Amino acid sequence: MSLSLDADQLDRYSRHVIMDEVGPEGQKRLLDGRALVVGAGGLGAPVIQYLAAAGVGTIGVVDDDVVERSNLQRQVIHADADVGVPKVESAARYVERLNPDVDVNAHETRLDEGNARELLGEYDIVVDCADNFRTRYVVNDVARIEGMPVVHGAIYKFEGQATTLVPEGPCYRCLFPEAPEPGTVPDCATTGVLGVLPGTVGCIQATEAIKLLLDAGDILEGRVLFYDAMDMTFETVPYRRNPDCPVCGADGIETIAGIDYSGGCRVDGD
């Protein structure tokens, strides 16, 4: 791997280059890195923003939605002029203005069991910014089969959580074996969400993704970070790999074929 950075890059990333924990070698790793961001909404916006600013060289963005005016209170990479535009296009335009070193692959589709393996196969890491359980379980299951790390985040009203799932550690199903039944957990369109909340959680996800690409620091493996914006508190709760987990346990799955991701997203036999 060449460690050469041109004059503009040495200037742009100078605050990284002077750090012993990053340096020119680490910055080159970021520039060579490939991250897939699932969702370009509240969580995806700050993740895309900070991965691009840090110089992650290829960012894939998966989303099938368009920008709505009600998004703008929290989805900070989109602007009023983007209303009606596909979020992946708006995200790509934002990154293009922010950092010419970064290539954006705009995947205007919903990640599902039919395309997940192909999409994930193009990248080094996945940042799960999805707003629904079906996508989260598909991402977890396919990433575990493919041996890819996932940085997960979720938000609700004033609260958020984040954890990092790596091949040698527990997976999302070790934490949440199955999804709640559809309709039992309201979304932000029903309950609302504090506009700055996804910024905090998304920045934590971006931090974890950058550490993974740098292979530096301690990540949230086997730990869930809970954030309460009303109380301004952070709490970290450990969790362990479930030896009977249908995905990452001793008899874990080798394919997602046959899994019904409707309802509770259960794996047959669990």
Side-chain angles (χ1 to χ4, degrees):
M1 180 175 70
S2 171
L3 301 181
S4 60
L5 300 174
D6 63 33
D8 287 344
Q9 290 172 331
L10 286 170
D11 188 15
R12 177 183 290 273
Y13 308 116
S14 60
R15 301 308 189 271
H16 276 173
V17 172
I18 61 176
M19 298 174 69
D20 291 339
E21 297 84 355
V22 183
E25 297 88 352
Q27 187 59 54
K28 191 60 170 60
R29 288 181 69 126
L30 294 179
L31 287 164
D32 289 339
R34 302 177 63 85
L36 179 66
V37 182
V38 181
L43 291 172
V47 169
I48 293 165
Q49 184 178 49
Y50 275 98
L51 293 187
V56 174
T58 302
I59 299 174
V61 183
V62 186
D63 201 301
D64 66 344
D65 204 359
V66 300
V67 178
E68 299 177 6
R69 190 160 281 108
S70 61
N71 300 150
L72 304 181
Q73 158 253 21
R74 63 199 178 281
Q75 299 181 19
V76 293
I77 62 174
H78 309 302
D80 201 71
D82 298 317
V83 171
V85 173
K87 288 184 180 180
V88 294
E89 290 186 17
S90 176
R93 292 176 190 172
Y94 179 90
V95 173
E96 183 180 3
R97 293 191 299 269
L98 179 64
N99 190 348
D101 287 340
V102 180
D103 294 323
V104 176
N105 296 330
H107 304 284
E108 189 181 352
T109 186
R110 176 176 289 269
L111 186 145
D112 59 25
E113 53 269 43
N115 61 19
R117 188 169 188 176
E118 181 180 0
L119 287 170
L120 269 62
E122 299 181 27
Y123 299 93
D124 303 317
I125 63 171
V126 187
V127 188
D128 171 18
C129 302
D131 62 358
N132 66 90
F133 287 101
R134 182 173 188 149
T135 303
R136 291 169 187 157
Y137 282 94
V138 172
V139 167
N140 174 77
D141 297 351
V142 174
R144 185 53 55 121
I145 292 169
E146 297 298 314
M148 294 180 63
V150 178
V151 181
H152 163 75
I155 53 174
Y156 177 73
K157 296 180 72 171
F158 296 95
E159 302 171 359
Q161 67 182 40
T163 190
T164 297
L165 314 166
V166 294
E168 60 273 18
C171 79
Y172 187 72
R173 287 187 186 270
C174 296
L175 188 59
F176 303 112
E178 62 182 89
E181 288 300 316
T184 59
V185 178
D187 58 22
C188 67
T190 304
T191 63
V193 61
L194 185 68
V196 297
L197 175 67
T200 303
V201 178
C203 281
I204 291 169
Q205 289 182 271
T207 303
E208 289 286 278
I210 288 169
K211 286 158 56 183
L212 283 169
L213 291 171
L214 291 173
D215 192 21
D218 293 327
I219 56 174
L220 287 169
E221 175 189 353
R223 296 181 292 152
V224 185
L225 180 67
F226 292 101
Y227 168 57
D228 188 324
M230 286 296 276
D231 295 336
M232 195 49 70
T233 56
F234 290 88
E235 181 181 7
T236 305
V237 177
Y239 64 100
R240 287 186 278 187
R241 192 167 187 169
N242 176 9
D244 297 320
C245 175
V247 170
C248 72
D251 298 318
I253 61 173
E254 296 180 357
T255 174
I256 64 169
I259 299 177
D260 182 2
Y261 285 98
S262 61
C265 302
R266 292 174 59 88
V267 177
D268 287 342
D270 70 340

